Amino acid sequence: AYWQGLDSLLAPFMTVSFDAADRAFGLLQAVIDRWLPNFFLPDNAVALQHHLASFKQVLSYIDPELSWELERGGFHPELYAIPWFLTLFSHALPLDKVCRLFDPLLLGKPSLPLFVAVALMQQLRPLLVPLDFNKCVAAFADMPAIDIDLCVRQTREFAGRTPAARMLGVGAVVQSFKR
């Protein structure tokens, strides 16, 4: 089956394994199995909704003001974060930044993409807070430059200071589907 975004997710692996497509595909499969379980299934709506709810929860914990402003303006994660999570940010960021992000991301826990998304939102915060709904949509259509080193540092910081009880993490969500 064709899945929109798989080409973006495969691109970093093809870049580092350009001479071995089978290795690149194996890396892609391993990443999907660990970080994106249930995302590439015919009925992935429940998995995506749980992941987006977890993201909203983590954003609300780390930056309640930004979360409130976005919620008040009707700018929900369904409008911008689905491609982030489906492609582990490889569709939204330039390839060189994705490769730098994948090293710490793929060595971390499956919940780490939630914190990457919050770190991205922190960099976009000054742009987003004063905007109305339509301008927020436009801002995400043309993603501003992201400092990937700052993103990685903030990701680690946010993950380290967020109590596990406050976060539903991807693993807990996946386990709830299996019960």
Side-chain angles (χ1 to χ4, degrees):
Y2 169 77
W3 287 97
Q4 189 169 358
L6 272 182
D7 57 331
S8 296
L9 186 56
L10 179 60
F13 303 117
M14 287 300 296
T15 300
V16 298
S17 300
F18 63 92
D19 59 340
D22 56 334
R23 183 175 3 163
F25 181 76
L27 291 168
L28 174 69
Q29 188 64 52
V31 164
I32 289 172
D33 290 347
R34 179 170 163 110
W35 282 270
L36 303 169
N38 300 321
F39 277 35
F40 295 101
L41 299 175
D43 185 19
N44 66 355
V46 173
L48 283 173
Q49 289 304 314
H50 279 283
H51 205 75
L52 292 170
S54 296
F55 166 62
K56 281 178 71 170
Q57 190 174 22
V58 172
L59 180 62
S60 293
Y61 178 76
I62 292 171
D63 192 341
E65 180 186 357
L66 177 59
S67 180
W68 167 248
E69 289 294 330
L70 295 172
E71 185 72 25
R72 187 172 60 92
F75 196 64
H76 304 288
E78 292 83 357
L79 299 172
Y80 60 89
I82 290 174
W84 287 1
F85 295 126
L86 282 176
T87 68
L88 292 177
F89 312 97
S90 60
H91 186 71
L93 299 172
L95 189 57
D96 65 317
K97 291 184 180 188
V98 171
C99 288
R100 290 184 18 226
L101 176 64
F102 269 25
D103 278 345
L105 181 66
L106 299 181
L107 293 173
K109 294 180 180 180
S111 60
L112 211 55
L114 299 170
F115 296 101
V116 172
V118 172
L120 288 176
M121 293 301 285
Q122 288 296 287
Q123 287 193 42
L124 298 171
R125 187 184 207 286
L127 174 71
L128 296 175
V129 169
L131 298 180
D132 65 16
F133 177 84
N134 291 331
K135 290 181 182 172
C136 279
V137 170
F140 275 89
D142 187 26
M143 182 70 117
I146 297 295
D147 179 340
I148 202 67
D149 295 322
L150 175 61
C151 181
V152 169
R153 282 193 309 274
Q154 286 182 318
T155 296
R156 288 179 176 145
E157 175 196 335
F158 297 154
R161 74 175 184 177
T162 303
R166 294 225 179 239
M167 186 191 71
L168 286 176
V170 177
V173 171
V174 170
Q175 289 306 315
S176 71
F177 295 138
K178 293 180 180 177
R179 290 185 192 143

